[in-house]
Amino acid sequence: MTTKTTGNTTSMRIGCGAGFAGDRIGPAADLLDRGDLDVLVLECLAERTIALGHRRRLQDPARGYEPRLRARLSELLPRAARRRVPIVSNMGAANPRAAGEAARELARELGLDGLRIAVVTGDDVLDRIDLSAPALEDGRPLAEHGPVISANAYLGADALMPALAAEADVVLTGRVADPSLFLAPLAHGLGWDPDDLPRVAAGTVVGHLLECAGHLTGGYFADPGRKDVPGLADLGFPFADVDAAGTAEIGKLTGTGGLVSRATVREQLLYEITDPAAYLTPDVVLDLRGVTVEDVRPDVVRVRGAAGRPRPDTLKVSVGYQAGHRAEAEISYAGPNARRRAELAGEIVADRLGRAGVRPRTDASARPTRSAACASRRSRPRPTAPTTSATRSRPSTPTDPPGEAASAPGRTRSSASCRPCCPAKPSFPPRTAWRSPVRTKLHDVAHARAGDKGDTSTISVFPYRDEHYADLVRELTPDAVRRHLGVRGDVVRYELPNLCALHFVCRQSLDGGVTTSLALDTHGKSLSSHLLSLEIDVDSGGLPLTTGGDG
């Protein structure tokens, strides 16, 4: 079939039909049925899921792609074919070629023999990785972590352009930076030049906003009584109307649940960003300092103002290695001295397993009910591969698609540093202008969102009322955040008055990251909620406090 987007159009509508591997299929079908889309993107891959994909491929060379590919495409391919809407997805995971074969077989079963299915490869660089290179997260040589089983470079939008130019109906990739999945069809459809940095930056922002699907429309935003979101059981997924200059209006389908507002968009905009002034992607070094987010009408938000610098010369590579089997057991204790008894149980387990040559890690955690639990996990070789990172040079051969970092380590930072992210600071009212200071929980004046990058947590904080931004700047120092959250590593603060936001990057805060952490919340999503329990002084002139999702 011929796609609807053929280049040099004045605007495009691009939708996101999945934000993670297990996402619902219904909202994507709804976008195809009623959304008048030009392109549908399904973002289904993460560090953890590509590690799982490599484990499946090691067990069976014909596997390794997203297990729900068939179920997802069974619902979506007939709809997309009827409306001539191409689908772009990273469901190829650790085996894009096998994913392409599975999609072709399914298309035949559905009577869609004429579909053009493209597979993007080049991200698998296991045979080129330098095992003496240091991992970005801890500086140790990759070889010291364990037997390396996978290495996937983060490709950029340019890797997808040949498939789009060939008018593919389905484009399946492996590891591609999430925003690049969206930037590529936008650049192809709108005729953007890869050296047009303002437009490439604008498209990258659109991709970054859409990539988490329902989280942009209120899925992870809701906080009853403060951030109410209607109809969450029928949460709709987002789309963006993007014009030729890169200005985007974010929306969702009429009649679906959820919320699109300045607040939901700002939370997603800074999600998992490291340095907001220099966020490295395969396509551009993104600068968010000039981005504006404004409500246009209910459930429609306009985003513009992104800037960019030329893309880096290095790639980010996600490296998987054998890190041991993991088994988990728990014993609970209550009453006086509960924690010490739990620790004793852990010592006994460690002693017994040690006699068998196993070195377990045990954690004892106290709970508000005055009970304690001892959890023990074995540390023998296991096939599930935690992910670390290394950089490599951008390839110069034309046969190897290039790519680079979706994120990269920042400059050296002190354990408590503060970095204004805008050239000009807003003027704050002096303390003498206050009516009187009031002690209150941060939760009463602000909302927050946490993301994870390996062992690093990113937390963005936004006041419900813009006039409280000065209070947040004064009260939420890096030291205050570090002490309250118990972060072991550095905490860096970025000020973004253009978004009325503070952004914190907390190193060594996630117990090693999602694939190795023993915490109940392995992604650290609850850290933002924990931060909101901090007590701060605020200007009573801004009280009484308002609630709702319009901040």
Side-chain angles (χ1 to χ4, degrees):
M1 74 183 181
T2 302
T3 62
K4 296 167 64 177
T5 55
T6 56
N8 297 309
T9 59
T10 58
S11 66
M12 283 181 61
R13 174 170 287 190
I14 185 168
C16 183
F20 73 105
D23 225 339
R24 296 175 300 141
I25 300 174
D30 200 14
L31 280 172
L32 286 171
D33 287 341
R34 301 194 292 125
D36 193 26
L37 298 182
D38 292 300
V39 181
L40 178 69
V41 178
L42 308 173
E43 200 291 286
C44 300
L45 195 60
E47 291 176 345
R48 179 180 62 87
T49 46
I50 198 168
L52 294 173
H54 279 291
R55 184 173 69 174
R56 291 191 299 270
R57 188 177 184 181
L58 286 173
Q59 296 167 345
D60 180 354
R63 299 170 62 196
Y65 58 87
E66 167 53 40
R68 297 189 72 201
L69 178 145
R70 186 179 180 86
R72 203 174 291 279
L73 292 185
S74 294
E75 289 291 325
L76 302 182
L77 280 184
R79 290 177 164 88
R82 284 195 299 270
R83 292 162 179 80
R84 297 187 301 154
V85 177
I87 293 175
V88 177
S89 179
N90 53 15
M91 287 192 289
N95 199 344
R97 293 184 184 275
E101 292 292 340
R104 181 171 63 176
E105 179 182 345
L106 175 61
R108 288 173 178 167
E109 294 175 12
L110 295 172
L112 301 172
D113 295 322
L115 286 188
R116 296 183 178 184
I117 299 172
V119 173
V120 177
T121 61
D123 63 304
D124 188 342
V125 294
L126 181 60
D127 60 343
R128 302 176 60 180
I129 198 72
D130 179 5
L131 296 181
S132 66
L136 296 182
E137 292 166 341
D138 59 16
R140 293 165 52 209
L142 293 173
E144 292 185 6
H145 291 79
V148 172
I149 64 169
S150 66
N152 295 89
Y154 285 73
L155 303 184
D158 51 356
L160 283 70
M161 297 304 277
L164 296 170
E167 297 187 348
D169 304 304
V170 179
V171 180
L172 294 171
T173 77
R175 181 74 275 180
V176 170
D178 296 346
S180 303
L181 293 170
F182 299 82
L183 172 62
L186 287 173
H188 171 70
L190 295 170
W192 290 347
D193 188 285
D195 294 323
D196 189 338
L197 296 179
R199 286 175 171 80
V200 172
T204 300
V205 166
V206 171
H208 180 70
L209 287 172
L210 292 178
E211 68 183 56
C212 287
H215 291 322
L216 181 59
T217 53
Y220 199 75
F221 176 80
D223 187 0
R226 286 177 167 81
K227 299 189 298 179
D228 294 314
V229 179
L232 280 171
D234 300 304
L235 183 69
F237 284 0
F239 60 80
D241 292 321
V242 185
D243 68 20
T247 297
E249 290 193 352
I250 310 296
K252 68 181 186 67
L253 295 178
T254 302
T256 60
L259 173 70
V260 177
S261 71
R262 178 172 177 254
T264 67
V265 172
R266 285 188 304 165
E267 281 198 7
Q268 181 61 33
L269 180 61
L270 295 179
Y271 177 66
E272 294 187 339
I273 293 288
T274 45
D275 185 345
Y279 184 57
L280 306 185
T281 82
D283 309 294
V284 67
V285 178
L286 183 62
D287 186 346
L288 299 175
R289 292 177 294 177
V291 172
T292 60
V293 179
E294 56 181 317
D295 291 306
V296 177
R297 55 186 179 275
D299 289 322
V300 177
V301 171
R302 183 177 295 122
V303 180
R304 55 188 168 187
R309 299 189 296 280
R311 63 187 189 179
D313 294 324
T314 56
L315 306 170
K316 177 180 176 181
V317 178
S318 176
V319 180
Y321 61 94
Q322 296 277 13
H325 296 287
R326 184 164 68 183
E328 184 174 344
E330 183 175 308
I331 309 171
S332 299
Y333 297 87
N337 210 28
R339 184 185 184 92
R340 185 63 194 97
R341 285 183 286 145
E343 291 171 342
L344 175 60
E347 293 167 5
I348 294 170
V349 170
D351 189 355
R352 290 176 177 172
L353 291 178
R355 299 170 193 175
V358 177
R359 299 185 304 278
R361 169 180 165 180
T362 60
D363 286 351
S365 60
R367 305 218 172 111
T369 56
R370 295 180 180 273
S371 64
C374 175
S376 175
R377 295 186 182 184
R378 301 172 60 187
S379 58
R380 298 188 65 177
R382 64 186 177 96
T384 303
T387 307
T388 185
S389 306
T391 59
R392 72 176 179 92
S393 298
R394 179 181 293 278
S396 58
T397 56
T399 56
D400 188 14
E404 61 216 3
S407 176
R411 298 173 293 276
T412 302
R413 294 177 169 88
S414 64
S415 61
S417 61
C418 179
R419 302 207 174 208
C421 209
C422 284
K425 291 186 179 181
S427 58
F428 303 139
R431 184 178 287 265
T432 55
W434 290 12
R435 293 168 178 82
S436 61
V438 172
R439 192 75 172 168
T440 189
K441 292 286 183 67
L442 179 60
H443 190 215
D444 292 327
V445 297
H447 56 100
R449 173 97 180 267
D452 64 296
K453 287 283 188 184
D455 197 20
T456 296
S457 176
T458 63
I459 304 174
S460 303
V461 184
F462 312 85
Y464 284 114
R465 290 183 172 181
D466 288 357
E467 56 262 37
H468 283 301
Y469 182 62
D471 298 323
L472 301 189
V473 171
R474 183 187 61 254
E475 297 288 319
L476 295 183
T477 65
D479 273 335
V481 171
R482 189 169 185 262
R483 288 194 304 268
H484 187 73
L485 297 181
V487 175
R488 296 196 310 273
D490 301 343
V491 173
V492 181
R493 186 181 81 174
Y494 296 92
E495 301 170 18
L496 292 118
N498 59 309
L499 298 172
C500 215
L502 294 181
H503 186 66
F504 297 90
V505 177
C506 308
R507 308 284 183 187
Q508 294 180 280
S509 56
L510 298 177
D511 194 25
V514 62
T515 55
T516 59
S517 173
L518 295 185
L520 292 176
D521 177 15
T522 56
H523 290 88
K525 302 297 186 186
S526 61
L527 285 179
S528 56
S529 298
H530 182 31
L531 181 60
L532 292 176
S533 67
L534 179 67
E535 289 191 346
I536 65 171
D537 287 330
V538 300
D539 178 6
S540 64
L543 302 176
L545 305 173
T546 58
T547 62
D550 58 350

